[in-house]
């Protein structure tokens, strides 16, 4: 079995406060990128909504105020320096951000991630499918989670892309909790899944689960990696952001479901791991050999 090795990095980002501008935040991303490169990484995963604070925790009525959190083009004036730095270093990356586009004469807003190759070119795009939270103003909450208000349901499905010498898939935050996310990517041959997340410590609807947030975060990703024989590179926005505590736990997970590298704190941090994409075969040629062992005819309720 010939190795297909690369060094990957989950670039965890500490809190981004509402008053932090794009220039400062992009500067932090570039610093993480350079640190990852210095330590040998050729692929870096940044968090979900990495360019701004997690604005869905606020109820915003002013359209202009809301639009300030979205990107209409990437790379754009505020992000071009990141793409140029990556191209100069020869490092590929995944980036999560809020996307505003016009499609068929209508304004659409998506929670988006992109895959950027080592030349700084966008080679893949994903728009979040499993939007959590609520759409209406609920001021009783200590903080809100208005993704259903500020984002449209992703309209690209779960595509995979030829990159990094293998097959790469993407997802975002809440997507990781749904087994179907990893199964569709696995059926399409994803050998590495990149994802970013923003996860509060406190869950107002079931506060008894607060103590389980770190456990559940890793549980769903480890299960997804193992059941589909793929690597997972997951990067958090962490720490106290806009008065809300976000968990960390950024990590790299092997196809066996084992965490091979994990963040130690809640600030800006590079988490590195040596990845061999051929290790996916340990799972895919054996216990989870789909062609031999799957029985899709018995899974009707999944789609019915």
């Amino acid at each position: 079995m010939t190795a297909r090795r690369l060094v990957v990095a989950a670039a965890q980002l500490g809190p981004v406060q509402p008053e932090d501008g794009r220039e400062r935040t992009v500067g932090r991303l570039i610093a993480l990128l350079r640190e990852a490169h210095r330590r040998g990484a050729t692929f870096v995963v940044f968090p979900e909504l990495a360019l701004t604070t997690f604005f869905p925790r606020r109820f915003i009525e002013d359209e202009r105020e809301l639009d300030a959190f979205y990107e209409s083009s990437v790379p754009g004036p505020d992000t071009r320096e990141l793409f140029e730095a990556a191209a100069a270093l020869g490092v590929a990356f995944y980036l999560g951000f809020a996307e505003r586009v016009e499609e068929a004469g209508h304004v659409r807003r998506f929670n988006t991630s992109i895959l950027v190759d080592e030349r700084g070119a966008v080679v893949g795009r994903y728009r979040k499918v499993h939007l959590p939270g609520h759409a209406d103003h609920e001021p009783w909450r200590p903080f809100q989670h208005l993704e259903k208000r500020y984002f449209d349901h992703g309209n690209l499905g779960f595509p995979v892309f030829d990159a990094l010498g293998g097959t790469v898939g993407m997802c975002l935050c809440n997507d990781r909790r749904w087994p179907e996310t990893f199964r569709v990517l696995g059926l399409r041959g994803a050998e590495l899944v990149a994802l970013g997340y923003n996860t509060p410590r406190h869950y107002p609807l079931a506060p008894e689960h607060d103590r389980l947030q770190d456990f559940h975060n890793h549980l769903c990703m480890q299960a997804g990696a193992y059941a589909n024989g793929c690597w997972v590179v997951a990067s958090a926005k962490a720490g106290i952001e806009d008065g809300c505590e976000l968990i960390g736990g950024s990590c790299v997970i092997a196809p066996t479901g084992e965490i091979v590298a994990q963040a130690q704190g809640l600030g800006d941090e590079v988490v590195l791991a040596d990845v061999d994409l051929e290790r996916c075969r340990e799972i895919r040629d054996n216990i989870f050999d789909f062609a031999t062992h799957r029985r899709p005819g018995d899974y009707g309720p999944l789609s019915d």
Side-chain angles (χ1 to χ4, degrees):
M1 187 166 64
T2 304
R4 287 184 290 141
R5 292 188 177 277
L6 66 153
V7 178
V8 302
Q12 179 170 286
L13 193 62
V16 176
Q17 306 302 348
E19 63 271 17
D20 292 344
R22 293 283 204 292
E23 182 177 359
R24 178 180 178 184
T25 304
V26 169
R28 290 167 61 187
L29 297 179
I30 292 172
L32 288 166
L33 186 82
R34 288 175 174 157
E35 171 67 10
H37 173 262
R38 185 186 67 79
R39 295 169 58 188
T42 56
F43 179 54
V44 176
V45 175
F46 293 114
E48 174 192 42
L49 297 179
L51 301 175
T52 67
T53 198
F54 187 80
F55 64 92
R57 71 172 62 95
R58 293 188 168 205
F59 180 70
I60 301 170
E61 295 183 278
D62 186 325
E63 199 81 1
R64 289 176 300 177
E65 181 183 353
L66 182 63
D67 282 346
F69 292 103
Y70 293 80
E71 313 301 315
S72 57
S73 63
V74 174
D78 296 319
T79 56
R80 192 170 306 282
E81 189 177 353
L82 173 63
F83 285 73
E84 292 172 348
L89 297 171
V91 176
F93 67 91
Y94 159 111
L95 178 70
F97 60 95
E99 178 188 25
R100 183 186 186 278
V101 295
E102 289 193 19
E103 294 183 345
H106 298 283
V107 172
R108 306 292 302 279
R109 294 182 170 91
F110 298 101
N111 189 339
T112 295
S113 65
I114 53 174
L115 182 63
V116 179
D117 70 13
E118 69 280 0
R119 300 165 300 170
V122 176
V123 294
R125 184 176 302 264
Y126 168 73
R127 290 167 173 167
K128 191 172 181 178
V129 168
H130 297 101
L131 295 171
H134 52 102
D136 297 323
H137 188 27
E138 297 183 3
W140 60 267
R141 294 172 178 257
F143 54 88
Q144 302 205 48
H145 199 142
L146 290 158
E147 286 194 60
K148 290 187 185 296
R149 181 182 184 89
Y150 299 143
F151 297 117
D152 294 307
H153 169 255
N155 60 358
L156 301 177
F158 292 101
V160 297
F161 307 95
D162 293 331
L164 310 175
T167 306
V168 178
M170 294 185 281
C171 62
L172 282 159
C173 199
N174 189 44
D175 288 322
R176 75 196 190 279
R177 303 186 188 277
W178 299 85
E180 295 84 357
T181 297
F182 290 101
R183 180 45 46 94
V184 173
L185 291 171
L187 287 170
R188 289 176 171 164
E191 297 169 297
L192 184 149
V193 176
L195 71 95
Y197 59 97
N198 286 252
T199 299
R201 172 76 55 193
H202 176 53
Y203 183 47
L205 300 182
E208 61 271 24
H209 290 178
D210 289 3
R211 65 182 182 84
L212 297 170
Q213 291 289 49
D214 292 297
F215 168 64
H216 287 158
N217 173 45
H218 288 142
L219 172 68
C220 57
M221 295 189 293
Q222 289 178 264
Y226 172 58
N228 296 281
C230 63
W231 290 89
V232 175
V233 185
S235 186
K237 182 107 69 58
I240 307 296
E241 181 181 275
D242 194 19
C244 178
E245 183 181 0
L246 301 176
I247 66 169
S250 301
C251 61
V252 180
I253 303 170
T256 53
E258 299 167 283
I259 296 176
V260 297
Q262 183 176 329
Q264 301 302 302
L266 295 174
D268 292 10
E269 183 177 347
V270 172
V271 180
L272 248 68
D274 187 353
V275 163
D276 180 2
L277 297 178
E278 283 296 321
R279 286 197 61 199
C280 297
R281 292 176 56 186
E282 294 175 21
I283 301 298
R284 295 182 180 186
D285 290 354
N286 295 292
I287 189 168
F288 291 122
D289 180 344
F290 289 171
T292 301
H293 304 305
R294 273 186 89 243
R295 292 293 178 263
D298 294 323
Y299 308 151
L302 288 176
S303 57
D304 292 345

